[in-house]
């Protein structure tokens, strides 16, 4: 019955045939034991430590705070509110983009968003807000208001070969059911807390992955054209999904299947 109602909600035969409510759970006992061990000793902690070294040698807290127009003391709570409007950029930017700005400001070569340095540095800077709650404010200004509307549209827009949207798998009426043995996660719930737990170590990839990259991976899996990192659309999507989980506690690096 459950499967039927999900299919009715989806209107997508392709996705329906992939859903199987009776399949085994995604993690077996050995996986669970490994997960417990990694919780104690997250392999991505090393990446975050490398990110700290990079950040301190290339930018530093004072220079970074200056670019954001805040005091060093206010850095953690400012970081907890990304993506946000940064005056010096004149637009809503992600944390990584704000680090790129700080590097450009210091006359340094600006690494690509997908580069290892950038991913590590951003993870470290986000970890400065650990234990704070995400405080994104989508009503703070006109730019944020526009971005959250755009992000919602992108989240709900059916695209690609299967005509799926993010919402096909992450809407309130389907989360908790399973797709190819994976539980469909409620991105904004305190349990999944997507926006506040990526950068995370992804066990299936044996690597630390950023939040925007994780969203791109879902696009790839669901045959939606991948939005480029740093594009206005991708930033808008990050605004929307972050706002779903507003108030969740930031814990970087996270640990994910
Ligand atoms: C075909 C179904 C499907 C579609 C469409 C889909 N996702 Fe997912 N998504 C999943 C599944 C299943 C998982 C959990 C996978 C796992 O456990 O590794 C997931 C996980 C995620 C996560 C990580 C959750 C966590 O652990 O924090 C994010 C973020 C995410 N999706 C965002 C998106 C966005 C944004 C879109 C639209 C661009 C999208 N997804 C489209 C099925 C889908």
């Amino acid at each position: 019955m459950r499967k039927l109602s999900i299919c009715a909600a989806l209107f997508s035969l392709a996705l329906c045939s992939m859903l199987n409510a009776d399949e085994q759970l995604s993690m077996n006992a050995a996986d669970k034991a490994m997960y417990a061990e990694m919780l104690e000793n997250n392999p991505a902690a090393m990446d975050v430590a490398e990110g700290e070294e990079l950040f301190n040698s290339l930018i530093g807290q004072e220079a970074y705070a200056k670019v954001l127009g805040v005091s060093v003391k206010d850095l953690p709570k400012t970081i907890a509110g990304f993506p946000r409007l940064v005056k010096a950029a004149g637009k809503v930017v992600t944390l990584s983009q704000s680090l790129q700005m700080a590097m450009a400001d210091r006359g340094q070569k600006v690494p690509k968003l997908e580069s290892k340095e950038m991913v590590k540095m951003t993870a470290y800077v986000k970890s400065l807000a650990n234990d704070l709650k995400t405080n994104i404010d989508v009503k703070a200004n006109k730019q944020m208001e526009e971005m959250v509307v755009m992000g919602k549209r992108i989240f709900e827009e059916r695209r690609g070969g299967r005509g799926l949207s993010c919402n096909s798998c992450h809407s309130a009426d389907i989360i908790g059911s399973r797709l190819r043995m994976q539980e469909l996660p409620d991105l904004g719930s305190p349990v999944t807390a997507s926006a506040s737990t990526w950068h995370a170590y992804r066990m299936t990839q044996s690597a630390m992955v950023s939040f925007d990259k994780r969203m791109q991976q879902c696009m790839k899996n669901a045959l939606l054209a991948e939005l480029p990192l740093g594009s206005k659309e991708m930033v808008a999507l990050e605004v929307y999904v972050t706002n779903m989980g507003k108030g969740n506690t930031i814990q970087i690096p996270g640990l994910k299947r």
Side-chain angles (χ1 to χ4, degrees):
M1 263 331 267
R2 177 90 178 114
K3 188 178 171 188
L4 259 183
S5 63
I6 294 162
C7 292
L10 277 171
F11 298 111
S12 163
L13 278 176
L15 182 55
C16 251
S17 61
M18 289 155 70
L19 280 168
N20 184 347
D22 300 327
E23 271 175 319
Q24 286 178 305
L25 262 175
S26 54
M27 279 206 222
N28 61 27
D31 284 348
K32 277 188 185 145
M34 188 152 84
Y35 184 84
E37 191 184 313
M38 285 188 175
L39 267 184
E40 294 286 308
N41 201 352
N42 190 326
M46 247 172 32
D47 295 306
V48 176
E50 282 175 37
E52 175 173 12
E53 273 178 36
L54 282 166
F55 175 78
N56 287 338
S57 66
L58 297 172
I59 305 174
Q61 296 206 9
E62 254 167 59
Y64 181 52
K66 206 179 103 220
V67 166
L68 298 184
V70 301
S71 65
V72 169
K73 181 174 69 60
D74 284 342
L75 269 181
K77 75 169 193 233
T78 307
I79 291 164
F82 271 88
R84 66 187 310 139
L85 174 69
V86 172
K87 287 230 173 70
K91 60 176 184 179
V92 174
V93 296
T94 61
L95 199 56
S96 304
Q97 288 174 314
S98 74
L99 291 175
Q100 285 185 322
M101 288 170 63
M103 293 188 71
D105 198 53
R106 292 171 69 74
Q108 261 146 5
K109 188 165 167 276
V110 176
K112 288 214 167 84
L113 290 173
E114 36 277 282
S115 69
K116 287 210 168 88
E117 302 107 285
M118 216 53 222
V119 172
K120 287 176 187 174
M121 266 204 290
T122 312
Y124 164 67
V125 171
K126 191 161 173 183
S127 78
L128 293 173
N130 273 352
D131 299 328
L132 296 183
K133 294 178 190 315
T134 49
N135 63 23
I136 186 167
D137 184 355
V138 296
K139 299 218 168 87
N141 45 62
K142 193 171 62 48
Q143 288 90 335
M144 284 297 280
E145 278 172 13
E146 276 171 21
M147 288 301 257
V148 76
V149 170
M150 183 177 189
K152 181 171 194 288
R153 178 173 60 67
I154 293 165
F155 196 83
E156 292 173 354
E157 195 169 65
R158 292 168 178 274
R159 304 187 283 135
R162 294 208 176 100
L164 296 174
S165 71
C166 311
N167 212 33
S168 306
C169 293
H170 296 293
S171 71
D173 49 359
I174 191 164
I175 47 187
S177 48
R178 277 186 222 127
L179 171 62
R180 291 211 179 115
M181 312 207 314
Q182 303 321 323
E183 197 161 292
L184 293 169
D186 177 355
L187 304 179
S189 78
V191 178
T192 311
S194 283
S196 48
T197 52
W198 297 88
H199 302 53
Y201 185 79
R202 240 198 128 180
M203 291 165 65
T204 45
Q205 280 172 248
S206 306
M208 184 174 75
V209 174
S210 66
F211 185 39
D212 46 7
K213 194 78 200 168
R214 178 65 188 90
M215 293 199 281
Q216 260 191 349
Q217 290 170 350
C218 253
M219 293 174 202
K220 192 168 181 196
N221 288 344
L223 304 183
L224 310 175
E226 284 174 62
L227 301 172
L229 299 186
S231 63
K232 187 169 185 188
E233 289 77 11
M234 194 67 177
V235 178
L237 189 60
E238 186 167 335
V239 166
Y240 180 67
V241 180
T242 302
N243 191 48
M244 279 181 184
K246 182 172 174 167
N248 288 329
T249 305
I250 297 174
Q251 296 289 354
I252 304 298
L255 179 65
K256 304 276 178 171
R257 194 188 67 84

